[in-house]
Amino acid sequence: MTEGKEQIARLAEIMIRKGIRNVVVSPGSRNAPVVILFSRYTELKLVSVADERSAGFVALGMAQMLNETVAVLCTSGSAAINYGPAISEAYYQKVPLFVITADRPVEWIDQGDGQTIRQHNLFANYIRKSYQLPSDTQTPEYRWYFDRQVSEAADRCVFPVQGPVHVNLPLSEPLYNLDNTPEPQGIRAMGIAQGETRLTDDQLNELASLWNGSSRKMVIAGQLSPNHGLDALVKKITDDPSVILLTETTSNLSGDSHILCIDRVIEGIGSEMDSFQPEILLTFGGAIVSKKIKALLRKFRPAHHWHVNPDPDEFHLDTYKSLTLTIPLTTSSFLFQFAEVVKAATGSYFINWASRKKIRKERHKDYLKQLPWCDMKAYEVLFNGIPDGSHVHLSNSTPVRYAQLFDHQRNFWFWSNRGTSGIDGCVSTAAGSAMATNETVTVITGDIGFFYDSNALWNHHLTPNFKIILINNGGGNIFRILPGPDKYPVMGPFLETAHSLHADGLASNFGLGYFVASDEKQLEEVLQAFYAESQRPALLEIFTPAEASAETLKNYFKYLIS
Ligand SMILES: Cc1ncc(C[n+]2csc(CCOP(=O)(O)OP(=O)(O)O)c2C)c(N)n1
Ligand SMILES: [Mg+2]
């Protein structure tokens, strides 16, 4: 047997050829040889995050911001399972993660060795594909197999759609005899040709004829990464009196004519659907936050619903129970083709929506004038005070919902873990994002989400452009807002999980600048100092009253329709 771990060097070289530059590493013995050999490659930047759950989300945030594959690397056993939450988020949000888990050779699984579990295909339901690599590359056959598997794994992170891929890497002992690791010879990294799918002319003409002949068309843009540059294409299709475009902050589309605050506009619309029901619904992008629009369109179904989605794992994604056609193209590829054939129609459909939007905007403004100190008031101040051009991560649960109630005429880029809507990695994801850019990255989080993911702070790589805004309303306020839970006495301890924790101790333990506000005036004053902190990451804790916050939001929707 030759010495060293030649396969690790092969793995590193293929990853580099595939453009993987960042590896988020969690400590362990089985993966130690990988860490040691990877560190010899200047092309690979290793980032250390001890907690694998947080590490997975840090990598997710980096991958999103860089728009490229980021690797994570951990040891064997339960360490690997801790990647689960980030992997499922990356899967549903289509973010490329290259997940490397070190393992024992297959003959040693379930034989009483410590820190050993069945790792092969561990993330079966939430992975583009899993690869079990050979435990050595000593024969030409194994080298051929190894290179092929790793090449395919890296390509599957980005093709046909982006997502997480798992590479299980068995390593035999000795683990630390690495100095004689030979230079890998004859690496064969296969590639994949770039291409785009197009609709046939017949199919395109059929869609154009339906579209151009209809006077009521609705477009809903789901979550889109800020890197997409779709505004101009979208405008070509929506600049039309018979078309209305509904977006959310997380769609990252800009334009004054869109309906951005969906819930505000559609509240109470059911009885007037004659003027608002679309005949054709066109959707693209990822998750939609608004539960109200889903409920509305499931009830008042359009005659045609076309969903643009190239992901074969989500073949007929029928969110509105009205799907008639899946268009298996990327959003830009479809819009590019479609923009060539659409013609503006006449009609009052856009005007109907625009007038309703205007009326509701006035109601919104009136309501805000008389707001007491509460979560909604804090959001109003924040969205006026966060610096222009910032990246804003909206945590689950209510931060991402409050953000949909404001108009955001200012220039923000929005991110949110809406793949699985978990509260378990929102701060870590934003931390990873901030590491990958020089721009300001703010995460707005609730208290339960913050304390849940407090290991996000346990990280030597946190950057001073990273700003955490914590809305501490003493528990999961969402459970006071949702209709239902508040009727039951167990709501407080078991759902809201009410508490009186403060974050100052955590901030000081992890070396963050700490700022605090407990009313509107303090918040306005402190924001500037908070954003001026340039030496270290900063945490702004905003204390808000639980009961008033929930009541204000519930009353907001009543006020809109009164
Ligand atoms: C991993 C995970 N566990 C549980 C939930 C269910 N959940 C949704 S919101 C929430 C409470 C969030 O509270 P907080 O972060 O304080 O936000 P608030 O509702 O007060 O704004 C919980 C437990 C979840 N989304 N993800
Ligand atoms: Mg809370």
Side-chain angles (χ1 to χ4, degrees):
M1 184 184 270
T2 55
E3 292 190 56
K5 293 273 180 274
E6 196 254 1
Q7 71 270 44
I8 297 175
R10 295 189 92 80
L11 174 63
E13 295 214 3
I14 298 175
M15 284 166 59
I16 292 163
R17 289 190 199 184
K18 295 288 180 187
I20 299 175
R21 294 181 295 162
N22 291 282
V23 188
V24 180
V25 175
S26 300
S29 187
R30 193 56 53 165
N31 63 334
V34 189
V35 181
I36 293 164
L37 291 182
F38 273 17
S39 70
R40 295 183 183 169
Y41 290 84
T42 50
E43 299 92 331
L44 293 177
K45 183 178 167 219
L46 305 192
V47 173
S48 161
V49 179
D51 173 342
E52 287 84 5
R53 195 186 80 208
S54 177
F57 283 107
V58 166
L60 178 92
M62 292 174 82
Q64 287 175 316
M65 184 59 80
L66 297 167
N67 196 20
E68 66 182 40
T69 304
V70 171
V72 285
L73 167 67
C74 74
T75 190
S76 59
S78 60
I81 291 196
N82 276 288
Y83 283 149
I87 288 178
S88 60
E89 179 62 34
Y91 179 77
Y92 283 107
Q93 223 193 117
K94 309 189 204 312
V95 181
L97 288 187
F98 189 80
V99 179
I100 309 165
T101 56
D103 199 358
R104 276 161 184 67
V106 283
E107 58 273 22
W108 282 106
I109 308 302
D110 289 347
Q111 301 308 311
D113 254 5
Q115 217 180 304
T116 306
I117 62 167
R118 290 162 221 146
Q119 286 177 212
H120 176 48
N121 207 12
L122 184 58
F123 309 106
N125 276 337
Y126 312 104
I127 206 85
R128 294 285 162 211
K129 196 163 172 186
S130 302
Y131 297 84
Q132 173 73 28
L133 297 181
S135 45
D136 70 64
T137 44
Q138 294 191 23
T139 66
E141 294 294 285
Y142 271 155
R143 287 196 285 277
W144 170 59
Y145 181 51
F146 188 92
D147 292 1
R148 217 176 66 215
Q149 296 265 83
V150 176
S151 298
E152 185 181 315
D155 286 342
R156 286 300 295 264
C157 287
V158 291
F159 186 87
V161 280
Q162 297 189 327
V165 168
H166 178 204
V167 169
N168 196 38
L169 178 68
L171 294 169
S172 54
E173 294 175 23
L175 295 173
Y176 296 99
N177 198 359
L178 297 166
D179 289 342
N180 298 325
T181 297
E183 284 287 312
Q185 302 295 325
I187 290 179
R188 291 189 53 228
M190 297 96 185
I192 186 118
Q194 300 294 316
E196 258 182 19
T197 323
R198 288 178 59 82
L199 295 181
T200 61
D201 286 348
D202 283 352
Q203 179 70 76
L204 191 62
N205 290 336
E206 193 184 323
L207 297 187
S209 137
L210 274 169
W211 184 267
N212 294 336
S214 163
S215 57
R216 300 148 71 95
K217 290 155 297 201
M218 177 184 280
V219 181
I220 302 183
Q223 183 165 19
L224 292 163
S225 98
N227 309 314
H228 57 75
L230 285 178
D231 275 320
L233 279 178
V234 169
K235 196 167 170 351
K236 281 192 181 172
I237 286 157
T238 55
D239 231 355
D240 176 335
S242 63
V243 178
I244 187 71
L245 171 63
L246 274 53
T247 68
E248 299 191 309
T249 57
T250 41
S251 320
N252 288 300
L253 292 174
S254 56
D256 292 341
S257 54
H258 311 341
I259 304 281
L260 178 57
C261 303
I262 300 176
D263 287 4
R264 185 207 289 175
V265 178
I266 67 173
E267 184 70 15
I269 204 172
S271 56
E272 300 165 62
M273 276 308 267
D274 281 355
S275 318
F276 296 103
Q277 187 171 3
E279 191 185 344
I280 303 180
L281 172 66
L282 170 66
T283 56
F284 52 80
I288 282 285
V289 179
S290 170
K291 286 179 85 157
K292 290 182 199 272
I293 190 69
K294 291 176 194 165
L296 186 76
L297 291 174
R298 284 169 193 168
K299 190 164 171 202
F300 298 96
R301 295 182 200 173
H304 307 272
H305 172 201
W306 308 335
H307 182 53
V308 182
N309 185 3
D311 189 344
D313 288 0
E314 296 173 339
F315 210 83
H316 286 322
L317 192 67
D318 193 6
T319 305
Y320 305 99
K321 285 176 103 177
S322 54
L323 186 73
T324 49
L325 190 72
T326 295
I327 302 176
L329 270 60
T330 62
T331 300
S332 55
S333 169
F334 170 72
L335 292 180
F336 189 75
Q337 268 192 283
F338 200 48
E340 297 298 312
V341 294
V342 294
K343 292 193 181 68
T346 49
S348 57
Y349 193 58
F350 173 82
I351 293 285
N352 294 348
W353 279 98
S355 331
R356 190 177 177 93
K357 173 176 152 181
K358 200 165 159 217
I359 296 166
R360 287 294 162 85
K361 191 168 178 173
E362 289 311 311
R363 295 299 284 168
H364 172 89
K365 278 195 205 153
D366 285 348
Y367 189 75
L368 259 66
K369 272 186 211 147
Q370 34 110 31
L371 267 190
W373 176 240
C374 62
D375 282 2
M376 197 169 184
K377 183 48 115 185
Y379 283 100
E380 187 193 11
V381 177
L382 287 176
F383 289 127
N384 287 323
I386 295 174
D388 244 11
S390 294
H391 291 271
V392 180
H393 279 252
L394 300 165
S395 290
N396 298 307
S397 59
T398 67
V400 72
R401 298 195 178 279
Y402 275 107
Q404 311 309 324
L405 305 179
F406 294 86
D407 287 291
H408 304 292
Q409 276 131 359
R410 295 163 71 245
N411 177 22
F412 300 130
W413 297 116
F414 286 103
W415 304 89
S416 187
N417 283 354
R418 295 305 291 177
T420 62
S421 306
I423 57 168
D424 41 2
C426 302
V427 184
S428 294
T429 306
S433 251
M435 289 173 204
T437 177
N438 292 325
E439 288 158 9
T440 304
V441 175
T442 302
V443 56
I444 308 181
T445 172
D447 43 281
I448 301 292
F450 172 80
F451 289 112
Y452 195 128
D453 188 24
S454 62
N455 274 354
L457 310 183
W458 180 30
N459 179 325
H460 292 301
H461 301 270
L462 294 185
T463 45
N465 62 337
F466 181 38
K467 309 283 178 186
I468 304 169
I469 297 181
L470 159 58
I471 313 263
N472 191 342
N473 50 27
N477 209 250
I478 184 82
F479 296 105
R480 288 176 180 257
I481 296 161
L482 294 174
D486 53 341
K487 291 192 290 244
Y488 300 94
V490 292
M491 201 289 280
F494 291 106
L495 297 174
E496 184 187 26
T497 48
H499 64 86
S500 51
L501 293 171
H502 293 188
D504 49 351
L506 277 172
S508 110
N509 200 22
F510 291 110
L512 270 65
Y514 179 75
F515 301 81
V516 65
S518 302
D519 62 35
E520 185 180 350
K521 194 160 164 288
Q522 277 176 13
L523 180 56
E524 278 167 350
E525 283 167 7
V526 81
L527 267 180
Q528 218 175 356
F530 171 65
Y531 277 103
E533 167 68 79
S534 61
Q535 299 305 310
R536 50 194 182 155
L539 169 68
L540 166 57
E541 184 165 29
I542 305 173
F543 291 100
T544 53
E547 198 176 332
S549 292
E551 286 312 304
T552 316
L553 187 63
K554 286 195 253 182
N555 289 337
Y556 172 75
F557 286 103
K558 289 183 198 149
Y559 184 84
L560 286 177
I561 54 172
S562 63

